[in-house]
Amino acid sequence: PYAIADHLFIRTSGTIFIDYNPVNEFWVHDHILNLPETAYFQTTYLDNIFIPEWIKRDIENHKNNKNWWNVYGLGVVGRSEGLVYTNWTQTDYFPEGVDVIWNGLDFGFTNDPSSLVRVCIQNGELWVKEGFYEIGMTNRDISIRMEQNGLQKGYDEIIADSAEPKSIAELKGYGWQIRGVTKGADSVNFGINIVQQYRINVTKDSLNVIKELRNYKWEQDKLTEKYLNVPTD
C-alpha cells in the first residue's frame, strides 16, 4: 500500500529502487513516475544474463496468454483479470462544444465519498471527466463545488443518487436542475451493459475514476475461481 511505502520513503536517504512486475497500474504510476527525480527502466527476462535456458523456454511458452506475456515477457503494463471495464484509455482532454453533457452525482459522507462525473458522447465514444470525489461534504459543499466545476444553476442537468430525496430537494432549493436517477430491475448490470458498448476515454486528471476502473471486478466463485456475472459491491 502507498501509505506504507511513503513512510519508508521519508526514512530513506540516498537512492530508492522500486522493482515490480507491471500486472496493472498502481501507486507508482500515480505518485512516482511523474517526479523529475525518477528514472524509469523497463527490463525483461532477456536482460538477465544469468537466466538458465530452461526458465527462458518456460517464459516463452506463455506467449499465447496475451496478458501474462505482456507483463512477464515484454514488461509492459497489463490488466488485472476479471475487470468489469477493459475498453478504456486515458486522454489529455474532455471534448468542447458537445451538444449534451450529462452530470452524474452520487451522495456520500463519512466513509463513502460524494462524487460528480461529467460524461458526453462524441464520435460514438464515451468521454468522462471527474468533477470531485470527497468525503465529509454537506449539500452546501456540493453546491459550491459544482459551481467551481463550471456547472450553471437552472441550466446544467444533474442526475443524482435517488436514495437521497432530501439531498436532492435541498440542492433544488439552491437553484440546481437536479433529479433522481430512475432505477429498474437489475439496474447495476443493465448500466454496465450499456457502458460496455462504448470505448471509454477518461481524462488523466480523473484520478479516482481511473482508480475505480482499475479495481472494479466481477465476483469470483471461491471454489471454481470462475468469474460470475455479479460485480463486486
Side-chain angles (χ1 to χ4, degrees):
Y2 177 67
I4 295 175
D6 192 39
H7 275 280
L8 293 173
F9 296 158
I10 62 177
R11 288 166 171 79
T12 304
S13 60
T15 301
I16 298 171
F17 289 87
I18 304 173
D19 179 33
Y20 62 93
N21 292 112
V23 175
N24 51 263
E25 292 188 355
F26 65 116
W27 53 258
V28 161
H29 300 83
D30 295 332
H31 301 287
I32 306 298
L33 293 187
N34 61 344
L35 298 176
E37 63 269 29
T38 298
Y40 174 72
F41 302 92
Q42 181 178 329
T43 61
T44 74
Y45 67 103
L46 296 176
D47 294 294
N48 183 355
I49 62 174
F50 303 105
I51 189 171
E53 284 299 317
W54 66 270
I55 291 182
K56 188 183 294 185
R57 287 195 301 271
D58 270 359
I59 292 173
E60 292 173 348
N61 283 338
H62 289 78
K63 283 186 176 180
N64 290 332
N65 184 335
K66 185 177 179 181
N67 194 53
W68 193 99
W69 176 246
N70 280 341
V71 174
Y72 299 102
L74 303 180
V76 298
V77 177
R79 292 187 184 275
S80 297
E81 294 183 356
L83 290 175
V84 173
Y85 298 114
T86 58
N87 191 27
W88 65 277
T89 188
Q90 297 184 43
T91 180
D92 292 315
Y93 68 96
F94 189 80
E96 296 182 359
V98 183
D99 291 336
V100 180
I101 295 178
W102 293 277
N103 301 285
L105 176 64
D106 192 25
F107 297 106
F109 193 70
T110 304
N111 296 316
D112 294 324
S114 296
S115 55
L116 176 79
V117 291
R118 310 202 73 191
V119 181
C120 73
I121 295 174
Q122 185 182 68
N123 300 326
E125 298 184 356
L126 199 64
W127 300 75
V128 181
K129 180 174 177 59
E130 179 180 316
F132 54 78
Y133 185 101
E134 302 171 24
I135 61 172
M137 296 183 76
T138 65
N139 291 329
R140 170 60 74 180
D141 294 331
I142 290 173
S143 179
I144 292 170
R145 294 288 276 113
M146 288 195 295
E147 286 191 275
Q148 291 173 345
N149 275 272
L151 274 67
Q152 299 178 46
K153 292 182 178 182
Y155 176 77
D156 287 300
E157 184 178 24
I158 301 155
I159 302 172
D161 177 8
S162 57
E164 294 220 15
K166 286 185 178 179
S167 294
I168 292 173
E170 186 173 343
L171 288 170
K172 277 185 179 178
Y174 293 147
W176 293 104
Q177 184 177 324
I178 182 171
R179 64 180 175 85
V181 66
T182 302
K183 293 183 179 181
D186 199 23
S187 61
V188 173
N189 279 55
F190 179 78
I192 288 172
N193 290 335
I194 294 294
V195 175
Q196 284 177 333
Q197 296 175 24
Y198 295 92
R199 179 176 178 80
I200 308 170
N201 303 280
V202 184
T203 59
K204 291 180 179 178
D205 58 354
S206 300
L207 298 181
N208 295 290
V209 174
I210 291 169
K211 182 178 179 180
E212 295 278 2
L213 288 168
R214 289 175 185 162
N215 291 281
Y216 195 36
K217 293 185 176 184
W218 298 110
E219 292 279 6
Q220 196 171 15
D221 187 281
K222 293 182 179 179
L223 294 178
T224 66
E225 296 188 349
K226 290 183 177 180
Y227 290 101
L228 309 174
N229 193 35
V230 179
T232 53
D233 186 6

